[in-house]
Amino acid sequence: MIGGTLHTARHVEGTPPERTSPLGLEQYIAGRTLVSGDGPAWSDMFVQVYSRSNKQEPFLVPAVAEPLIVWVISGAAMVEERELDRDWVANTVTVGDFFLTRSPTPYEMRWRATGAAPFQVMHLYLSVPLFERVAKDVLGCDAPPALRDISGGKDKQLSHLLALIHQELTAEGRGSQLFIQGLAQSLAVHLIRNYSSNETEGGRQTALPGFKLRRAVAYLEEHLADPFNLTKLSETVGMSEFHFSRLFKKATGLSPSRYFIRQRVARAQLLLQETDTSIIEIGMSVGYSSPSHFAQVFRRETGLPPSHYRRG
């Protein structure tokens, strides 16, 4: 473990390769390595903590074979990503937010830190052999599943596991090998259970990038009171309706319209639990002008009518 010593990343000029290793990726990102895990205890994970520059100019992120998690541990930033020659998609991230990628193709990224706290992140790569072993145990398949790309996500259980890993990374005496290996396995199980796209690597097709999925979900959340409009939704992420619908369902397991209904009901559940707003007003706020229609949809999705849900 490299503890207490700051290492300045060697920023490589020129065009990065299309693929690289976890260690090689850092050559293309400006910043300092604060702590790094090495030795037998860390054979299943490559973990490093970085202090990033307040402003990162656009750079090409090469594809990496290992599943990568980037977890924000200090500060906040406006992070932007894009496919090559496409529009930038922005996410504001803060402590506890994470990115997950196993992208087979390079993409561009840039960011600008906000606030006074230093922008620090932890990068964690799970080894391919571990990921394959866990996939076989959990799913019974020889080839590991493809993972969905997540940009600026929130996951309390994932953050808990990452916090324990960070604690071991910075512990005196290099942490417990048995505990670290157990955490790596637990992390792999969590990713496969919660972020698998239900496709094997061998049969993987182009998936909806995480930042496009996040933009689509944000658009739906902002328009819960409006009629569902697939044309506007697909235009928001710069894709055809057919292509977007197919990839959206691959990423979420639901069609865009079905996902929209789930969002409406989830918002209604929150309002029923946390406010005294009338059921009629709540229904109207999520796009249902007919109380009976709202009650029908709500009961279909939750198993209870709105009035019973509020009481209980």
Side-chain angles (χ1 to χ4, degrees):
M1 178 183 298
I2 305 169
T5 304
L6 300 182
H7 299 263
T8 303
R10 182 173 63 88
H11 186 59
V12 176
E13 299 296 334
T15 303
E18 289 194 356
R19 295 186 69 85
T20 188
S21 66
L23 189 59
L25 178 60
E26 280 311 304
Q27 300 178 52
Y28 304 98
I29 310 176
R32 296 175 298 167
T33 303
L34 302 181
V35 64
S36 179
D38 61 9
W42 299 93
S43 60
D44 288 330
M45 293 186 288
F46 178 79
V47 187
Q48 289 187 306
V49 176
Y50 304 101
S51 180
R52 294 305 190 198
S53 302
N54 286 336
K55 185 177 181 180
Q56 172 68 52
E57 297 299 330
F59 69 100
L60 191 67
V61 182
V64 178
E66 294 83 355
L68 164 64
I69 298 171
V70 179
W71 187 50
V72 181
I73 60 176
S74 173
M78 174 70 74
V79 179
E80 295 180 282
E81 301 165 291
R82 70 175 179 181
E83 296 175 87
L84 303 184
D85 301 321
R86 298 293 183 90
D87 293 336
W88 290 101
V89 178
N91 288 291
T92 300
V93 296
T94 187
V95 175
D97 292 348
F98 76 99
F99 294 79
L100 170 65
T101 185
R102 201 181 183 193
S103 175
T105 56
Y107 61 96
E108 281 190 290
M109 175 179 278
R110 66 186 181 189
W111 66 75
R112 176 176 54 83
T114 57
F119 184 44
Q120 297 178 354
V121 296
M122 183 170 81
H123 280 209
L124 186 151
Y125 299 84
L126 282 174
S127 75
V128 172
L130 170 68
F131 196 63
E132 291 176 343
R133 291 198 306 270
V134 172
K136 188 168 185 177
D137 180 70
V138 173
L139 302 177
C141 58
D142 292 328
L147 296 176
R148 292 185 283 120
D149 285 342
I150 306 294
S151 295
K154 300 178 186 296
D155 183 330
K156 289 184 179 179
Q157 186 175 353
L158 179 66
S159 285
H160 177 66
L161 290 171
L162 295 174
L164 291 173
I165 292 169
H166 181 259
Q167 181 177 308
E168 292 300 299
L169 184 67
T170 55
E172 294 293 334
R174 305 187 177 217
S176 163
Q177 179 173 349
L178 187 62
F179 189 40
I180 291 168
Q181 291 174 343
L183 288 172
Q185 293 174 8
S186 297
L187 185 60
V189 170
H190 184 76
L191 293 180
I192 289 171
R193 284 179 172 174
N194 294 277
Y195 298 103
S196 170
S197 67
N198 298 317
E199 294 185 4
T200 62
E201 283 294 311
R204 182 174 183 173
Q205 300 176 6
T206 304
L208 187 66
F211 52 94
K212 286 199 171 187
L213 177 61
R214 187 168 174 82
R215 173 182 278 187
V217 170
Y219 178 88
L220 291 174
E221 288 176 347
E222 293 169 3
H223 295 84
L224 291 181
D226 301 331
F228 176 74
N229 190 319
L230 179 59
T231 300
K232 288 186 177 179
L233 179 59
S234 57
E235 287 176 351
T236 299
V237 296
M239 299 171 68
S240 70
E241 294 180 26
F242 174 78
H243 192 52
F244 168 74
S245 296
R246 183 171 61 86
L247 296 188
F248 186 93
K249 187 169 184 178
K250 281 176 62 177
T252 66
L254 299 170
S255 68
S257 59
R258 184 70 174 163
Y259 191 95
F260 182 59
I261 292 171
R262 291 280 181 89
Q263 280 188 302
R264 281 180 162 182
V265 171
R267 175 73 62 81
Q269 288 176 294
L270 183 66
L271 294 173
L272 287 166
Q273 290 175 337
E274 299 186 1
T275 74
D276 295 323
T277 306
S278 72
I279 292 175
I280 292 177
E281 289 178 299
I282 289 175
M284 292 183 66
S285 73
V286 294
Y288 297 100
S289 57
S290 166
S292 61
H293 188 205
F294 170 60
Q296 178 186 13
V297 172
F298 191 92
R299 183 166 190 165
R300 185 186 70 206
E301 296 296 324
T302 67
L304 294 171
S307 56
H308 290 186
Y309 184 86
R310 168 166 270 174
R311 290 199 298 267

